[in-house]
Amino acid sequence: SLGKIMRAFYLLLLDRTLTVSEKVRKFFMVGGRISPKAITVYNGINVEVFNPDNVDGNLRGELGLKDDTVILGSIGALEEDKGQRYLFEAITRLKLEGINNIKCIVCGTGPHEKELKKVVHENGLSNEILFLGFRSDIRSVFKILDILVVTSLTIEACSMTMLEAQAMMLPIIATNISGNPELIVDNSTGILIPPGDADSLRDALKYLIQNLDVRHKMGKNGRFRVLEKFTIEQNVRKTEKIFLEMVQDSIVR
């Protein structure tokens, strides 16, 4: 397969391969062991740029959202594998249970946009779901969110969006796939759920919607963890160290 050919190419011709998560690093398995040439360096972010204290704006007011409304966020390409329809199903079920104080902001564009808007219309969610398209002011969006929801079905290597949201002190509900469990500590910085499971998503949303203190605690835990493991400074230092080791190895040879 193409994957096996690429893996052989990387391992034979390259001195090092940097991967953005341990899940991706496992792709370079040889003889039951991961090649020492593959090294994980997580994505890093600027924690001062993504700091709620450093972000101004009144997007909540611009969108006409009430102060007591719980705002959910779905950010990413509108394509089938991102699984937004399961979020819409979960919101439909919450409405049937009488939970009406929620709005969901959807940021992004993509081939699935028309179909998703059709789902929203058919399920009577036009008042709950706001499609904002592509946004260049994503920090302003994070600022007004109460919960970020990531519903990807199969692929999510090392989501910058999830790291940025955690730095902005947002709790995250995410599917338990790919690199997501490396970014989210279940029941500490967010909640991990099975992919494609609208019932589990509904339960997780209901729990966080009804427990403001838990949301705040998870948000604080999330920023602390980003500061501990995912800053751009750490990313650069690790990359520099790898380059220096390669240079030293070449000198020795």
Side-chain angles (χ1 to χ4, degrees):
S1 70
L2 179 61
K4 290 181 179 179
I5 293 171
M6 292 301 295
R7 177 171 57 193
F9 171 82
Y10 288 138
L11 294 178
L12 288 173
L13 300 183
L14 302 180
D15 293 309
R16 299 288 189 279
T17 299
L18 303 187
T19 64
V20 295
S21 70
E22 286 296 299
K23 183 70 174 181
V24 175
R25 183 169 169 261
K26 288 177 182 177
F27 172 74
F28 297 97
M29 189 83 70
V30 178
R33 298 179 61 186
I34 300 174
S35 169
K37 288 186 176 183
I39 302 171
T40 296
V41 179
Y42 289 109
N43 288 332
I45 64 167
N46 187 324
V47 293
E48 290 308 311
V49 170
F50 290 94
N51 181 340
D53 294 335
N54 297 336
V55 180
D56 297 320
N58 183 31
L59 187 57
R60 182 183 284 263
E62 292 173 24
L63 296 174
L65 302 176
K66 297 178 181 177
D67 290 340
D68 62 349
T69 299
V70 177
I71 305 177
L72 318 177
S74 175
I75 298 171
L78 304 184
E79 55 191 32
E80 189 166 1
D81 194 63
K82 291 297 184 182
Q84 290 97 344
R85 63 192 178 97
Y86 294 101
L87 173 56
F88 300 164
E89 286 183 26
I91 292 172
T92 299
R93 296 176 193 190
L94 289 173
K95 279 187 67 180
L96 291 173
E97 294 184 29
I99 299 175
N100 297 307
N101 63 325
I102 54 177
K103 296 282 186 182
C104 179
I105 291 175
V106 179
C107 296
T109 60
H112 216 45
E113 185 169 350
K114 283 187 178 179
E115 185 173 339
L116 287 172
K117 288 181 175 178
K118 182 180 178 183
V119 170
V120 167
H121 176 72
E122 290 177 347
N123 286 278
L125 296 175
S126 298
N127 289 327
E128 284 76 26
I129 312 292
L130 306 177
F131 288 91
L132 301 188
F134 173 78
R135 302 288 299 202
S136 59
D137 60 340
I138 202 65
R139 294 190 309 153
S140 298
V141 175
F142 285 142
K143 178 82 172 181
I144 69 167
L145 295 184
D146 294 296
I147 306 166
L148 179 72
V149 185
V150 179
T151 49
S152 303
L153 301 178
T154 62
I155 300 172
E156 201 69 70
C158 181
S159 168
M160 288 293 288
T161 298
M162 289 169 61
L163 292 178
E164 292 165 356
Q166 287 185 96
M168 291 286 290
M169 300 182 73
L170 285 176
I172 299 175
I173 298 173
T175 47
N176 189 9
I177 62 160
S178 298
N180 287 355
E182 297 175 48
L183 305 188
I184 303 298
V185 180
D186 194 28
N187 293 315
S188 174
T189 67
I191 299 175
L192 293 170
I193 60 169
D197 188 336
D199 284 331
S200 292
L201 179 51
R202 175 206 57 200
D203 293 344
L205 283 169
K206 185 176 180 180
Y207 175 65
L208 291 186
I209 288 168
Q210 295 180 340
N211 290 279
L212 176 63
D213 58 332
V214 175
R215 298 204 306 266
H216 285 171
K217 185 175 182 180
M218 286 183 171
K220 290 179 181 178
N221 290 345
R223 180 164 175 85
F224 179 81
R225 190 157 188 267
V226 168
L227 290 169
E228 191 177 46
K229 291 194 66 170
F230 301 106
T231 66
I232 190 66
E233 291 83 6
Q234 290 167 309
N235 174 295
V236 170
R237 282 198 300 271
K238 288 178 181 178
T239 305
E240 285 178 340
K241 182 180 178 183
I242 293 166
F243 280 131
L244 287 172
E245 288 173 351
M246 291 172 60
V247 170
Q248 290 170 353
D249 287 347
S250 66
I251 292 172
V252 171
R253 287 200 297 265

